[in-house]
Amino acid sequence: MSFYITTPIYYVNAEPHLGHAYTTIAADILARHMRQRGEDVFFLTGTDEHGEPVAQAAEREGVSPRELADRNSVKFRDLVKRVNATNDFFIRTSDPEHERGVQEVVQKIHDNGFVYEGTYEGYYCPRCADFKTDAELVDGNKCPIHLIVLEHEKEDNWFFKLSAFQEPLEKLYVDNPQWVTPRARYNEALSFIKGGLQDVSLSRARLRWGVPVPWDESQVIYVWIDALLNYYTALSYAREGEDLTSEYWPARHLIGKDILKFHAVIWPAMLLAAGIEVPRSIFIHGYLLMDEHKMSKSLGNVIDPFEVMDRFGTDTLRYYLFREVNFGQDGSISAAGFETRYNAELANEYGNLASRTLAMIGRYREGLVPGVGVDDALAADLAGVADHVREKLDAVDLSGALEEIWTAVRRLNRFVQDEEPWKLAKDEGEAEHLDRVLYSLAEGLRCVSVLVHPYMPDTAARLLAALGQEDVSFDGAAFGARGGGARIGKLEPLFPRIEPPAAAA
RNA sequence: GGCUCCGUAGCUCAGCUGGUUAGAGCGCACCACUCAUAAUGGUGAGGUCGGUGGUUCGAGUCCACCCGGAGCUACCA
């Protein structure tokens, strides 16, 4: 079965921040996990490059929109690479193939009778380069950002007949209760639809930086319409000389809550209008908060993902974000929380479990994992872990799956303490018992590492290599799936402890 | 205003279709162990499950209302 996962495409008018890393890593975890299961995965991310804000920023800097987009797109490409994402393609909405694809689909929507010419009226702020809604206006007719008096203006646009999809969308939601998750987001989107849908403009007349409307080159397609279509157009040219659409479409989208409406209302309506199958599912995650507040430049509490990874490593960031914050909800992160979890869970529980296990196999069995059977009690406790992880990840519960894995890590440390292999080693009569304990430990560590691979791919690979068991396929995640006999290798500490800085003077 | 979600131990949160003495992690106190990155394991203290009133043999878990917090109520990428 194919598994097509997408992140939003990132708008090049902003600097990459931790939120971008968060979504990208989430998608990567799912992609890697599904590959472990032998699924045919396609993972897409990229940049959104058209629209007024980019055109304006370019003008301010005295460069062409294209130059600005080229320059900033690279930053996102670097971030994607840096977080170790295994995307199969990086789309740019300025790709000529994408632009052609957008025109084809929009033409289809037009030909199917869902586009008409209309007039958009409202208060226009020249500095925002955008129309404001009545609710946004301050003092009757002032821009809420610039506090300048706005003129009531009109613009002739092409409109998309969103209102025609009120009933089809309601039916889509009612027939597919899992279509949008978590539930609160489903409710939010559905209630918005039930509130009545108005048509939306599909083009912009004042702008040149965008995809020309195929039947009216004086206008460009509104950037959101253009951007959403990336998920569909990418498949037609991501692989040279192939069209992957029939193989991978429809997609599973991963998005932040700020773009829910576009994805859960307008996007499926566009696809219905074009006669294209709607996405398979949409999952909405929450915000990472810094000390209860949303990260923002004005608050000065923005975390630079590159800095964090420079200091602690990519795997640590990938782990921390999904361990600390329940995926799907907002949650607070902090430097203190980061260090606590790093030391307590990564260094002490997981890293040290690896150390003690390998050291004992080295010391008591000359580095050879005994080829015996597993401990029954431990086997009983670890039996369901892989299945639970699979179920949680099928439900996009990235934090829940990690919790399952960590329960197993703790169980293994308890096993060491309970069995006291250092005492067994002193008693010749306990040799078989010690064999079983050491094999069970090596096997448990291997399973846990296979399961944790999507979250911390480099760490898992190092540890599995040291265990002489490099296979990460999900079938092998079952406790006892691999026999003993392997020769262990050397392993430097996976997560050297962070010593707290000496009390500041 | 309307709608949605949330309010459970000091902190962060689990608790599915109502059913034994309400759970985890962190933090705190004490104990055990020494294989290991002085890491690990155990025990304990600590909660009128926001409030009130209902339904029920029985409610943290359902209903009503109230208090408190967050989000949505349309074209910002």
Side-chain angles (χ1 to χ4, degrees):
Chain A
M1 193 182 155
S2 73
F3 185 89
Y4 176 31
I5 180 87
T6 72
T7 73
I9 47 174
Y10 305 123
Y11 201 54
V12 291
N13 202 33
E15 291 293 313
H17 57 72
L18 197 58
H20 298 115
Y22 188 50
T23 316
T24 306
I25 294 168
D28 188 55
I29 290 168
L30 291 170
R32 286 178 185 266
H33 169 73
M34 295 312 288
R35 285 194 204 101
Q36 282 186 294
R37 282 160 62 171
E39 306 289 358
D40 184 9
V41 172
F42 196 88
F43 170 18
L44 179 72
T45 188
T47 45
D48 179 12
E49 309 187 359
H50 291 136
E52 188 82 51
V54 170
Q56 277 200 317
E59 197 179 337
R60 271 199 303 275
E61 295 186 29
V63 299
S64 70
R66 159 72 63 180
E67 284 175 285
L68 182 77
D70 284 349
R71 198 179 66 208
N72 288 356
S73 181
V74 171
K75 296 179 186 173
F76 287 95
R77 202 185 281 264
D78 287 346
L79 179 69
V80 166
K81 199 172 296 172
R82 188 61 205 285
V83 301
N84 212 354
T86 53
N87 56 305
D88 294 285
F89 188 60
F90 188 97
I91 190 172
R92 299 183 55 185
T93 55
S94 59
D95 290 341
E97 298 92 335
H98 167 75
E99 297 189 356
R100 266 202 304 281
V102 168
Q103 289 186 318
E104 276 173 31
V105 176
V106 169
Q107 183 72 53
K108 210 177 289 178
I109 294 172
H110 173 272
D111 294 347
N112 288 342
F114 297 109
V115 174
Y116 64 92
E117 196 162 19
T119 304
Y120 189 85
E121 292 186 45
Y123 286 93
Y124 181 83
C125 176
R127 294 183 50 193
C128 295
D130 192 46
F131 285 94
K132 299 292 166 186
T133 61
D134 290 347
E136 287 179 292
L137 296 175
V138 178
D139 297 337
N141 62 351
K142 288 184 183 168
C143 168
I145 296 166
H146 300 99
L147 298 175
I148 53 176
V149 174
L150 305 184
E151 299 294 322
H152 191 84
E153 294 193 32
K154 293 182 182 179
E155 177 173 317
D156 288 332
N157 283 156
W158 293 95
F159 274 71
F160 170 51
K161 218 178 275 185
L162 181 61
S163 59
F165 296 92
Q166 169 107 21
E167 283 186 28
L169 285 176
E170 284 186 28
K171 181 166 161 42
L172 173 68
Y173 274 74
V174 172
D175 291 349
N176 304 281
Q178 299 298 313
W179 194 67
V180 173
T181 50
R183 192 66 187 178
R185 299 300 167 198
Y186 171 99
N187 291 340
E188 187 178 320
L190 180 54
S191 82
F192 178 81
I193 293 165
K194 283 184 170 167
L197 296 177
Q198 296 169 24
D199 296 339
V200 294
S201 50
L202 180 147
S203 66
R204 288 284 131 105
R206 300 167 183 271
L207 185 65
R208 300 310 315 149
W209 177 233
V211 181
V213 173
W215 60 88
D216 174 8
E217 302 247 324
S218 75
Q219 301 211 15
V220 297
I221 291 164
Y222 177 45
V223 63
W224 260 111
I225 304 288
D226 165 6
L228 287 165
L229 280 165
N230 91 85
Y231 303 126
Y232 183 74
T233 64
L235 293 178
S236 68
Y237 70 98
R239 202 174 291 161
E240 187 78 39
E242 283 187 71
D243 186 345
L244 303 172
T245 310
S246 60
E247 190 176 346
Y248 292 108
W249 191 259
R252 297 162 202 269
H253 300 309
L254 211 53
I255 64 168
K257 60 185 184 177
D258 50 330
I259 50 179
L260 172 67
K261 242 167 10 197
F262 294 99
H263 285 79
V265 181
I266 297 175
W267 176 225
M270 283 167 57
L271 291 168
L272 288 170
I276 299 169
E277 208 177 337
V278 300
R280 200 177 292 281
S281 64
I282 305 175
F283 183 90
I284 296 87
H285 69 252
Y287 287 143
L288 299 175
L289 308 174
M290 274 298 284
D291 306 320
E292 313 287 314
H293 298 290
K294 190 177 170 182
M295 273 181 247
S296 74
K297 278 186 186 167
S298 54
L299 285 172
N301 62 355
V302 178
I303 292 185
D304 179 347
F306 291 103
E307 277 178 26
V308 175
M309 289 184 281
D310 284 345
R311 183 155 168 229
F312 298 107
T314 297
D315 277 2
T316 301
L317 177 69
R318 292 172 61 107
Y319 172 81
Y320 175 69
L321 293 179
F322 296 92
R323 182 73 174 136
E324 186 81 311
V325 178
N326 203 316
F327 196 58
Q329 299 173 209
D330 288 357
S332 290
I333 58 171
S334 66
F338 199 97
E339 291 192 14
T340 299
R341 288 204 185 267
Y342 178 92
N343 275 338
E345 299 179 354
L346 294 179
N348 297 350
E349 292 180 334
Y350 185 52
N352 186 53
L353 173 65
S355 273
R356 65 200 309 209
T357 299
L358 292 171
M360 286 190 285
I361 292 169
R363 180 183 297 200
Y364 304 141
R365 290 296 179 266
E366 285 78 46
L368 216 55
V369 178
V372 292
V374 295
D375 179 89
D376 290 339
L378 184 64
D381 285 349
L382 298 185
V385 175
D387 284 340
H388 292 148
V389 167
R390 190 182 53 218
E391 287 162 17
K392 300 274 186 188
L393 289 179
D394 279 344
V396 201
D397 183 0
L398 302 189
S399 315
L402 201 44
E403 174 71 32
E404 292 285 346
I405 298 168
W406 229 255
T407 300
V409 170
R410 293 190 167 126
R411 179 67 183 88
L412 289 166
N413 274 318
R414 184 150 52 86
F415 179 71
V416 178
Q417 190 65 36
D418 289 347
E419 297 296 329
E420 301 183 304
W422 49 92
K423 286 186 182 167
L424 300 178
K426 291 174 184 158
D427 184 348
E428 281 297 319
E430 293 283 12
E432 273 183 45
H433 188 175
L434 181 58
D435 279 346
R436 193 165 66 246
V437 168
L438 294 178
Y439 165 63
S440 297
L441 269 176
E443 179 62 5
L445 197 54
R446 186 191 63 77
C447 293
V448 160
S449 301
V450 169
L451 292 173
V452 92
H453 159 263
Y455 296 85
M456 300 191 285
D458 289 345
T459 301
R462 285 175 61 198
L463 183 40
L464 288 168
L467 287 170
Q469 299 273 5
E470 311 209 4
D471 177 30
V472 295
S473 69
F474 199 80
D475 291 341
F479 187 60
R482 300 283 181 269
R487 175 158 297 281
I488 60 167
K490 262 193 80 70
L491 182 66
E492 294 303 309
L494 294 169
F495 301 99
R497 280 180 62 85
I498 303 168
E499 296 310 329

Short mmCIF file of all heavy atoms in Angstrom, two decimals, chain A residues 99-118:
data_model
loop_
_atom_site.label_atom_id
_atom_site.label_comp_id
_atom_site.label_asym_id
_atom_site.label_seq_id
_atom_site.Cartn_x
_atom_site.Cartn_y
_atom_site.Cartn_z
N GLU A 99 3.63 25.26 -11.97
CA GLU A 99 2.81 26.34 -12.52
C GLU A 99 1.89 25.79 -13.62
O GLU A 99 0.71 26.13 -13.68
CB GLU A 99 3.68 27.47 -13.04
CG GLU A 99 4.49 28.12 -11.91
CD GLU A 99 5.23 29.38 -12.32
OE1 GLU A 99 5.18 29.74 -13.53
OE2 GLU A 99 5.84 30.02 -11.43
N ARG A 100 2.44 24.93 -14.46
CA ARG A 100 1.61 24.32 -15.50
C ARG A 100 0.50 23.49 -14.88
O ARG A 100 -0.64 23.53 -15.30
CB ARG A 100 2.47 23.42 -16.40
CG ARG A 100 2.98 24.10 -17.65
CD ARG A 100 3.36 23.10 -18.73
NE ARG A 100 4.34 22.10 -18.28
CZ ARG A 100 5.66 22.36 -18.19
NH1 ARG A 100 6.12 23.54 -18.51
NH2 ARG A 100 6.47 21.42 -17.79
N GLY A 101 0.85 22.74 -13.85
CA GLY A 101 -0.14 21.90 -13.18
C GLY A 101 -1.25 22.72 -12.55
O GLY A 101 -2.43 22.35 -12.62
N VAL A 102 -0.88 23.83 -11.95
CA VAL A 102 -1.88 24.71 -11.35
C VAL A 102 -2.85 25.21 -12.41
O VAL A 102 -4.07 25.20 -12.23
CB VAL A 102 -1.19 25.92 -10.66
CG1 VAL A 102 -2.21 26.98 -10.28
CG2 VAL A 102 -0.44 25.44 -9.41
N GLN A 103 -2.28 25.61 -13.54
CA GLN A 103 -3.14 26.12 -14.61
C GLN A 103 -4.09 25.04 -15.12
O GLN A 103 -5.26 25.32 -15.38
CB GLN A 103 -2.28 26.65 -15.75
CG GLN A 103 -1.58 27.96 -15.38
CD GLN A 103 -0.84 28.58 -16.55
OE1 GLN A 103 -0.18 27.88 -17.31
NE2 GLN A 103 -0.92 29.90 -16.66
N GLU A 104 -3.59 23.83 -15.22
CA GLU A 104 -4.46 22.75 -15.70
C GLU A 104 -5.64 22.52 -14.76
O GLU A 104 -6.78 22.40 -15.20
CB GLU A 104 -3.65 21.44 -15.79
CG GLU A 104 -2.87 21.29 -17.08
CD GLU A 104 -1.96 20.07 -17.05
OE1 GLU A 104 -2.33 19.07 -16.39
OE2 GLU A 104 -0.88 20.13 -17.67
N VAL A 105 -5.35 22.45 -13.47
CA VAL A 105 -6.42 22.17 -12.52
C VAL A 105 -7.40 23.33 -12.44
O VAL A 105 -8.62 23.13 -12.44
CB VAL A 105 -5.85 21.86 -11.11
CG1 VAL A 105 -6.99 21.67 -10.12
CG2 VAL A 105 -4.97 20.62 -11.15
N VAL A 106 -6.86 24.54 -12.41
CA VAL A 106 -7.75 25.71 -12.33
C VAL A 106 -8.61 25.80 -13.59
O VAL A 106 -9.79 26.15 -13.52
CB VAL A 106 -6.92 26.99 -12.10
CG1 VAL A 106 -7.78 28.23 -12.29
CG2 VAL A 106 -6.32 26.99 -10.70
N GLN A 107 -8.01 25.47 -14.71
CA GLN A 107 -8.79 25.47 -15.96
C GLN A 107 -9.94 24.45 -15.87
O GLN A 107 -11.06 24.70 -16.31
CB GLN A 107 -7.88 25.12 -17.14
CG GLN A 107 -8.57 25.15 -18.51
CD GLN A 107 -8.88 26.57 -18.95
OE1 GLN A 107 -8.00 27.43 -19.00
NE2 GLN A 107 -10.15 26.85 -19.26
N LYS A 108 -9.64 23.32 -15.24
CA LYS A 108 -10.65 22.28 -15.10
C LYS A 108 -11.80 22.77 -14.20
O LYS A 108 -12.97 22.54 -14.47
CB LYS A 108 -10.00 21.02 -14.51
CG LYS A 108 -10.66 19.72 -14.95
CD LYS A 108 -9.93 18.50 -14.40
CE LYS A 108 -8.58 18.26 -15.03
NZ LYS A 108 -7.87 17.09 -14.43
N ILE A 109 -11.42 23.45 -13.12
CA ILE A 109 -12.44 24.00 -12.22
C ILE A 109 -13.30 25.00 -12.99
O ILE A 109 -14.52 25.04 -12.85
CB ILE A 109 -11.76 24.68 -11.00
CG1 ILE A 109 -11.03 23.65 -10.15
CG2 ILE A 109 -12.80 25.43 -10.15
CD1 ILE A 109 -10.17 24.23 -9.04
N HIS A 110 -12.64 25.77 -13.81
CA HIS A 110 -13.33 26.76 -14.65
C HIS A 110 -14.28 26.06 -15.62
O HIS A 110 -15.45 26.40 -15.73
CB HIS A 110 -12.28 27.58 -15.40
CG HIS A 110 -12.84 28.51 -16.43
ND1 HIS A 110 -13.07 28.13 -17.72
CD2 HIS A 110 -13.23 29.81 -16.34
CE1 HIS A 110 -13.58 29.16 -18.40
NE2 HIS A 110 -13.68 30.19 -17.58
N ASP A 111 -13.75 25.06 -16.31
CA ASP A 111 -14.54 24.37 -17.33
C ASP A 111 -15.72 23.61 -16.71
O ASP A 111 -16.74 23.39 -17.36
CB ASP A 111 -13.67 23.39 -18.12
CG ASP A 111 -12.62 24.13 -18.94
OD1 ASP A 111 -12.73 25.37 -19.07
OD2 ASP A 111 -11.67 23.47 -19.42
N ASN A 112 -15.57 23.22 -15.48
CA ASN A 112 -16.66 22.51 -14.81
C ASN A 112 -17.72 23.47 -14.27
O ASN A 112 -18.68 23.04 -13.62
CB ASN A 112 -16.12 21.64 -13.66
CG ASN A 112 -15.37 20.41 -14.18
OD1 ASN A 112 -15.53 20.03 -15.34
ND2 ASN A 112 -14.56 19.80 -13.33
N GLY A 113 -17.50 24.74 -14.50
CA GLY A 113 -18.54 25.71 -14.15
C GLY A 113 -18.48 26.27 -12.75
O GLY A 113 -19.48 26.77 -12.24
N PHE A 114 -17.32 26.21 -12.12
CA PHE A 114 -17.24 26.70 -10.75
C PHE A 114 -16.44 28.00 -10.61
O PHE A 114 -15.99 28.33 -9.53
CB PHE A 114 -16.65 25.61 -9.84
CG PHE A 114 -17.51 24.39 -9.76
CD1 PHE A 114 -17.11 23.19 -10.36
CD2 PHE A 114 -18.75 24.43 -9.12
CE1 PHE A 114 -17.92 22.06 -10.30
CE2 PHE A 114 -19.56 23.30 -9.05
CZ PHE A 114 -19.15 22.11 -9.65
N VAL A 115 -16.26 28.69 -11.72
CA VAL A 115 -15.54 29.97 -11.68
C VAL A 115 -16.40 31.03 -12.36
O VAL A 115 -17.02 30.76 -13.37
CB VAL A 115 -14.18 29.85 -12.41
CG1 VAL A 115 -13.50 31.22 -12.47
CG2 VAL A 115 -13.28 28.84 -11.70
N TYR A 116 -16.45 32.20 -11.77
CA TYR A 116 -17.17 33.30 -12.42
C TYR A 116 -16.45 34.61 -12.12
O TYR A 116 -15.64 34.69 -11.21
CB TYR A 116 -18.62 33.35 -11.94
CG TYR A 116 -18.80 33.65 -10.46
CD1 TYR A 116 -18.97 34.96 -10.00
CD2 TYR A 116 -18.79 32.61 -9.52
CE1 TYR A 116 -19.12 35.24 -8.65
CE2 TYR A 116 -18.93 32.87 -8.16
CZ TYR A 116 -19.10 34.19 -7.74
OH TYR A 116 -19.24 34.46 -6.40
N GLU A 117 -16.78 35.62 -12.89
CA GLU A 117 -16.15 36.92 -12.72
C GLU A 117 -16.94 37.73 -11.72
O GLU A 117 -18.17 37.80 -11.80
CB GLU A 117 -16.09 37.65 -14.06
CG GLU A 117 -15.14 38.81 -14.07
CD GLU A 117 -14.78 39.23 -15.50
OE1 GLU A 117 -15.53 38.86 -16.42
OE2 GLU A 117 -13.74 39.90 -15.67
N GLY A 118 -16.26 38.33 -10.77
CA GLY A 118 -16.96 39.11 -9.76
C GLY A 118 -16.13 40.27 -9.29
O GLY A 118 -15.04 40.53 -9.80
#
